[in-house]
């Protein structure tokens, strides 16, 4: 029987969420990490644990069939891979930053400057797109200290909350790319492996969907039901059931997390009572 081989980060910012996503997708992994390879118990899947920087190459070579890695690494490495799904975690941006006391007039400020980064390819593309000539200085870590020690005039680095920049006396002036964890796959998977990947993707999507949505139950006077139904249309249409108390009904539906508070406020204004909001474990539509 054919198996799918997926590469995930061995340790670091992507590790926990990658494992959680696989577990929530019903893939049981043996406990204990530190190994290079784990065999899933109830899905034809092997998991390879690698440094994130190596994942695009391994997937491109076919050593792994698929991988979970930051989009920033995929773009930087430049291998031709199939981007299967954006996974919504490890969100960050690759941004240009300069010392905070300098007036920034626009990308042209960078002309003739020295810019330190661990992402030389993304930086070169940014410079070319903005028609800027600058010196690219590649360093492998602690990029944020480069301006402070006189090594560079600016940096291109990963920013998430922005606090690392602030504590190094820098300010973010432009975003080169935005990134999040992505599921990528080899371009030439055979039919059997592709079928397995689709099966895994189906599960991943069900997990993702359930995370974005909540199950909602509420009680409301019957005359308000038509308006309430418009506010929470649900997957197909909400379930409406009469309560034992005459003139009242219970409404059950599915609610998108993004609109959560806005919708709750509307429901309260419409006279809804006893609103319960419950997490959904899996959602298949
Ligand atoms: O050992 P290995 O090579 O596998 O791991 P790594 O050390 O290279 O990567 P790791 O685990 O630090 O990050 C993995 C991926 O997480 C990155 O490639 C990004 O896709 C994503 N990610 C999301 C981040 C951040 N957020 C992040 N904040 N990666 C790094 N940072 C660092 C950044 O380098 C900077 O130093 O955090 C600092 C900035 O954070 P703020 O919150 O202060 O702005
Ligand atoms: Zn790395």
């Amino acid at each position: 029987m054919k198996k799918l081989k997926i590469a995930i980060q061995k340790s670091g910012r992507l590790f926990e969420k990658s494992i959680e996503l696989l577990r929530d997708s019903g893939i049981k992994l043996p406990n204990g990490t530190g190994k290079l390879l784990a065999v899933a118990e109830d899905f034809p899947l092997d998991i390879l644990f690698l440094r994130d920087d190596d994942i695009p190459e391994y997937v491109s070579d076919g050593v792994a069939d698929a991988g979970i890695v930051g989009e920033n690494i995929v773009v930087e490495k430049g291998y031709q891979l199939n981007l299967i799904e954006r996974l919504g975690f490890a969100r960050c941006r690759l941004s240009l930053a300069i010392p905070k006391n300098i007036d920034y007039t626009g990308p042209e400020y960078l002309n003739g400057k020295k810019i330190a980064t661990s992402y030389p390819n993304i930086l070169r593309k940014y410079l070319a797109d903005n028609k800027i000539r600058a010196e690219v200085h590649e360093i492998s870590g602690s990029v944020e200290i480069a301006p402070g020690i006189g090594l560079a005039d600016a940096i291109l680095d990963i920013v998430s909350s922005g606090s690392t920049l602030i504590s190094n006396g820098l300010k973010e002036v432009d975003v080169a790319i935005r990134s999040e964890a992505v599921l990528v796959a080899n371009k030439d998977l055979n039919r059997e492996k592709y079928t397995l990947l689709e099966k895994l993707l189906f599960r991943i999507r069900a997990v993702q969907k359930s995370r974005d949505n909540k199950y909602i139950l509420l009680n409301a006077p019957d005359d308000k039901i038509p308006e309430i139904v418009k506010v929470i249309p649900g997957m197909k249409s909400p379930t409406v059931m009469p309560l034992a108390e005459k003139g009242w009904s219970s409404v059950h539906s599915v609610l998108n997390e993004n609109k959560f508070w806005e919708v709750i406020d509307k429901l309260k204004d419409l006279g809804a009572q006893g609103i319960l909001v419950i997490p959904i474990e899996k959602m298949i539509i």
Side-chain angles (χ1 to χ4, degrees), residues 9 12-13 51-53 70 72-73 90 92 158 160-164:
Q9 194 189 25
R13 287 170 203 265
R51 284 199 55 198
D52 64 349
D53 315 69
N72 52 314
I73 304 284
C92 58
I158 295 180
S160 165
S161 67
S163 64
T164 303

Side-chain angles (χ1 to χ4, degrees), residues 188-201:
D188 308 306
L189 289 187
N190 64 34
R191 219 188 153 73
E192 269 172 307
K193 289 198 174 195
Y194 200 79
T195 306
L196 285 175
L197 180 67
E198 283 191 318
K199 207 168 155 183
L200 178 64
L201 183 62

Side-chain angles (χ1 to χ4, degrees), residues 1-282:
M1 165 87 158
K2 275 276 180 198
K3 273 189 170 186
L4 193 71
K5 208 177 264 180
I6 187 166
I8 67 170
Q9 194 189 25
K10 188 177 166 64
S11 68
R13 287 170 203 265
L14 301 170
F15 174 76
E16 299 275 344
K17 287 273 170 60
S18 305
I19 291 281
E20 189 183 297
L21 185 61
L22 292 175
R23 288 229 163 99
D24 290 349
S25 301
I27 287 153
K28 287 208 184 74
L29 300 172
N31 281 331
T33 49
K35 280 191 247 151
L36 176 64
L37 186 98
V39 179
E41 281 169 24
D42 44 8
F43 193 90
L45 186 75
D46 285 344
I47 296 116
L48 268 178
F49 298 97
L50 301 173
R51 284 199 55 198
D52 64 349
D53 315 69
D54 296 333
I55 292 177
E57 185 179 350
Y58 276 54
V59 174
S60 163
D61 288 354
V63 175
D65 304 309
I68 295 177
V69 65
E71 213 171 341
N72 52 314
I73 304 284
V74 177
V75 176
E76 175 63 22
K77 299 288 173 184
Y79 295 100
Q80 291 301 306
L81 303 172
N82 244 341
L83 200 161
I84 304 292
E85 188 82 345
R86 294 205 151 77
L87 300 173
F89 61 89
R91 284 184 201 276
C92 58
R93 47 201 191 270
L94 262 175
S95 291
L96 276 298
I98 63 170
K100 66 168 192 279
N101 52 354
I102 289 179
D103 276 338
Y104 178 76
T105 44
E108 60 282 359
Y109 166 80
L110 299 167
N111 262 317
K113 300 289 194 298
K114 195 168 173 182
I115 310 172
T117 189
S118 308
Y119 294 87
N121 294 326
I122 293 174
L123 177 54
R124 283 195 194 96
K125 174 150 191 326
Y126 173 86
L127 295 173
D129 288 349
N130 287 283
K131 303 192 173 45
I132 290 157
R133 284 176 180 273
E135 190 185 330
V136 175
H137 188 70
E138 185 177 349
I139 47 180
S140 60
S142 305
V143 173
E144 66 281 359
I145 65 167
I149 58 171
L151 203 64
D153 306 299
I155 63 167
L156 171 80
D157 200 12
I158 295 180
V159 180
S160 165
S161 67
S163 64
T164 303
L165 292 184
I166 291 170
S167 57
N168 284 279
L170 301 171
K171 63 177 175 188
E172 186 177 2
V173 292
D174 203 2
V175 176
I177 65 160
R178 293 185 187 275
S179 173
E180 65 188 274
V182 289
L183 174 68
V184 288
N186 181 281
K187 284 236 169 215
D188 308 306
L189 289 187
N190 64 34
R191 219 188 153 73
E192 269 172 307
K193 289 198 174 195
Y194 200 79
T195 306
L196 285 175
L197 180 67
E198 283 191 318
K199 207 168 155 183
L200 178 64
L201 183 62
F202 174 79
R203 294 186 181 196
I204 287 176
R205 284 191 176 146
V207 173
Q208 304 271 83
K209 267 252 163 288
S210 70
R211 285 181 186 162
D212 292 346
N213 290 281
K214 298 274 181 278
Y215 193 73
I216 180 165
L217 301 92
L218 58 87
N219 297 328
D222 286 344
D223 59 337
K224 295 289 181 194
I225 298 294
E227 279 174 272
I228 287 183
V229 164
K230 275 192 211 137
V231 178
I232 42 172
M235 290 208 279
K236 198 162 186 132
S237 86
T239 310
V240 179
M241 286 179 291
L243 290 186
E245 187 179 330
K246 220 169 172 306
W248 282 76
S249 292
S250 162
V251 182
H252 297 200
S253 192
V254 169
L255 177 62
N256 191 286
E257 182 94 287
N258 296 330
K259 300 190 187 138
F260 188 78
W261 290 110
E262 189 191 322
V263 169
I264 297 290
D265 286 343
K266 274 192 201 156
L267 292 173
K268 274 170 53 198
D269 291 347
L270 286 168
Q273 294 180 1
I275 304 175
L276 295 181
V277 177
I278 301 168
I280 298 172
E281 204 181 283
K282 303 282 183 301

